Amino acid sequence: MPSLASTFKSYLLICLLLWPTLSVAESFVAQIRHAKLIANDHNFSVQAKIDYELSPTAKEALHKGVPLTWIVRLEIRQIGSFWDSTIYKQALPYQLQFHALLNQYEVLTPNNESEMFLTLNAAFRFMSTPNFTKPIPADLLQTGQHYKLAVKCQFDRESLPVPLRPFSYLDAQWFLSSNWYLWPIQK
Amino acid sequence: MAYSKIKLPASASIFILFGFILLSLQLMSSSTQESSELSQMHSWLLVINTLGSITLLALVIVNTYSLVRELNKKAAGSRLTTRMVSLFVLLALAPAAIVFYFSVQFLHQGIDSWFNVEIDRAMDDALELSQSSLTQRMNWHIKQTRQIATQLENKSDTLIALEIGSLWAESGATEIAAFSSQGRVIASSSVNPSDILPHLPDEQIWLQLKQNKEYFAFAPGDSDGMMVRIILPIDRDQNQFLQVLYPVPVRMTDLADSIEFAFIRYQEMTFLRNSLKTSFSLILLLVLLLSLLAAIWVAFISIRNIVAPVKELVKGTKAVAEGDYKQQLPVMSQDDLGFLVESFNQMTKRIARSSDETRAAGLEVENQRAYLETILSNLTAGVISFDASFHIRTANQAAYRILHIPVSHFVSQTLPHLASQHNELAELLEAIQHLLEKADDIWEQRIVFLGPNGRQELLCRGTPLFLQNGNRMGAVVVFDDVTDLIQAQKNAAWGEVARRLAHEIKNPLTPIQLSAERLQHKLAKELEDSSAEFLQRSTRTIVQQVEAMKRMVDDFAEYARPSKKQVERINLIDLIHEMQSLYQPSGITFNSAFASDRVIIEADPVSIRQVLHNLLKNAQEATAAQCQVSIKINKVIKNNAEYAELGIYDNGSGLHTDQIETIFEPYVTTKTKGTGLGLAIVKKIVEEHGGVIWVDTSYNAGAGFVIQLPVFEFGNSQ
């Protein structure tokens, strides 16, 4: 039977979680090292390098069997006078899950293929180079126009178990998404 | 503030509101299930419900603020609304808080009951058992693979290709393959003949292989099964590698998967234990807040609707208390409050009708009173009413005219108190007071007193007033100034006397005079000298006395005869100056003090001259030594009319108190010589000119007379 103190602690937690001010003491966000557009014969491909990081809470959740999902978002934006317009977008979801029996990490690729890794670093290494398989048509970019390549690695909170979701928006331990990485394109 | 009528048990809008709230809460509740499709919307539903709670909280705060403002303004119905809302909140909050507290308690207890040490240990043991089993199988396959690798060591690629088929058959593996360190396949053999190419290691495996020089791991099989992948170097130089894929029995795979799934689920639940508690508590709190705030808000609206007729009643009652009896309130419902409002409307109608009737009656009484007051104020007789303790209640204008005291001074005062303030009326007022106290019935008395304008004679009639039970409630005194009437009666009597004197006395005088003269004429020659001289002396005396009697009768006739005045506008000052210049040679010293040098009166100059002459002559005769006469003229206003007040004061012997009352009557004189008609004629002339004359009793240095004459024009002050 939970004590009165623990009940009070729960209420206090609720209040604290609902409190809008957040304490971000340490950052665990993913970093996009680089991203660039490579011109091929008839299309473009994108190369990117992402460094993933897990907070202690996220690491504990992973080892307790909670699958974690990142969505690597790719956008090509045309620079406008007032605002940019997105002319192309692509999203690649990567799901990382730990298998306690085999003591291996499984990465579910955007193509629904499963890759098993003995270490977490090996899994992250695999995920660090997203495979944008869908080529970008060459005629998408007009000559004389200015474009930006935008890449972001977004941690998908909505794929977490339901009880974790509300708090993942408030707890800095779950702020695992990267910022937008912007790379100018000139054609 | 008017509120729309609420149709109990609840209006459609309230039903819809509660429907939305219930739907939203149900959706949120359903979304907590991972298996539910709504779980994807859980965060949104949480946000929507939170926003709903904040909106309802804002509504409740606005309503509370509005109620507090009404309470501070002491608006009608605000206290009742506050009391009802407070009661409702208390009644709703207390059980809801208790239910919430125990629900959270049960929830936490329920979640905690899912976990215990035994299950933890069992789960760990089961996983460990599975891992041991798989590890044992793995070790056996590693040993088997090492033997195969040893058999292929130091053999050429061709020999390897020849032997690998037989080795595969002996090992029972799914696939066996030899490849160089560059990934070139040397030879392979598979259970599936269609597989031309072996399942070569991918990049990640190559990476680990380069690091560890060997690789063994469980990997997903082709058909949802599991396999063991073992890669070992064939030679010491590690230029060739042997990869063997062993199948894992299906039953073992299924069991292992089942154990892993249960373990993972249990681990996940353990990790989410506190999150689950907090999450469910949060949802419970949201449910409580939404329900409670919605109920409080609806309570505000409902209570205001219920209190609205009461508020109208309070306003109506206040208006009635302030005298507005025409209040009619709208009947909002047909319930008990509606009946109350209808009764109030009927009551105000009746009160308004009664009030109108009372007002009409009051108006009638007021008209009657005003009518009586008008009559009383226009009466020439003074009327004073007294209460039971002889305090003056009312007095009319004539009382002021007669007594020369402002009416306002009369009210609420007793006569003795009034007498102490007005010494000149003390005699009269004390006499009336005495009569009032003494009389039990109607009384009448003629009271003579020396007022501010000289001698006055009042005819007083008093009537004590009694209540129906016989108690005295006061008295009424009616009095009339009969001074002039008595004087007129006296004048008429004197006129009659004069006529009779003229007829009865003057007629025999001529024969007496003639007879005396004839006796003188006839007997003077026949008598001796001494007798003749005596006769002459006697007849002369007779003739002289007859002449004196004739003059007396003529004077008296003159006094009694109505005068024939030649009225014209004259300056009284000029007339006085004229008389002063006439009397100054005879030794009279004048001290004059005139408020103006232009006092025009409409009068017969001969008569006024005679008045001044008589008064100055009296002064001269009354003074033994140096005669000094002071003449003053001032303007006075009486009864809204201007009068010139002429005061003539001498330094003579003065008048005795008992002479003052009769000094203006004929044949009253203090002199040894004189007819006693001088002052009577003066008074007659003054009164014929609309004036009054009286003895100034406050003057003690001699005799003082005050004459007031109507003035036509009184010039500016000097």
Side-chain angles (χ1 to χ4, degrees), chain A residues 1-4 6-7 10-11 13-14 17-18 57-58 60-61 63-67 97-104 114-119 122-123 125-126 158-167 169 174, chain B residues 31-34 39-43 46 100-101 104-105 108-109 112 127 130-131 134 202 204 207-208 215-220 226 256-257 259-260 263-264 267-268 270-272 275-279 281-282 285:
Chain A
M1 182 177 170
S3 65
L4 195 66
S6 70
T7 310
S10 300
Y11 296 148
L13 188 65
I14 290 170
L17 287 175
L18 289 173
T57 306
E60 187 190 356
H63 289 138
K64 294 282 185 183
V66 176
Q97 192 169 8
F98 178 67
H99 286 276
L101 183 67
L102 303 176
N103 206 18
Q104 290 184 24
S114 173
E115 296 285 345
M116 301 297 288
F117 300 95
L118 294 176
T119 63
R125 206 178 300 122
F126 173 74
E158 289 302 310
S159 66
L160 288 172
V162 171
L164 263 183
R165 275 182 218 166
F167 309 105
Y169 286 95
W174 292 104
Chain B
S31 69
T32 55
Q33 304 296 320
E34 293 281 0
S39 69
Q40 297 299 319
M41 297 172 64
H42 179 75
S43 300
L46 210 60
F100 174 72
Y101 175 77
V104 171
Q105 290 282 328
H108 287 196
Q109 286 171 15
D112 286 338
L127 186 73
S130 301
Q131 284 176 334
L134 289 174
D202 57 18
Q204 299 298 327
L207 205 61
Q208 290 181 44
Y215 176 86
F216 35 86
F218 288 95
M226 197 186 285
D257 282 345
I259 288 169
E260 187 187 31
F263 180 80
I264 287 293
Q267 286 291 310
E268 190 180 327
T270 310
F271 176 73
L272 295 175
S275 299
L276 267 175
K277 286 181 189 174
T278 314
S279 178
S281 300
L282 180 66
L285 185 69

Side-chain angles (χ1 to χ4, degrees), chain B residues 570-591:
Chain B
I570 55 169
N571 189 350
L572 187 58
I573 305 296
D574 293 344
L575 207 61
I576 289 169
H577 284 318
E578 184 187 320
M579 294 306 293
Q580 282 176 342
S581 56
L582 192 66
Y583 276 87
Q584 264 170 352
S586 61
I588 299 178
T589 308
F590 288 98
N591 293 321

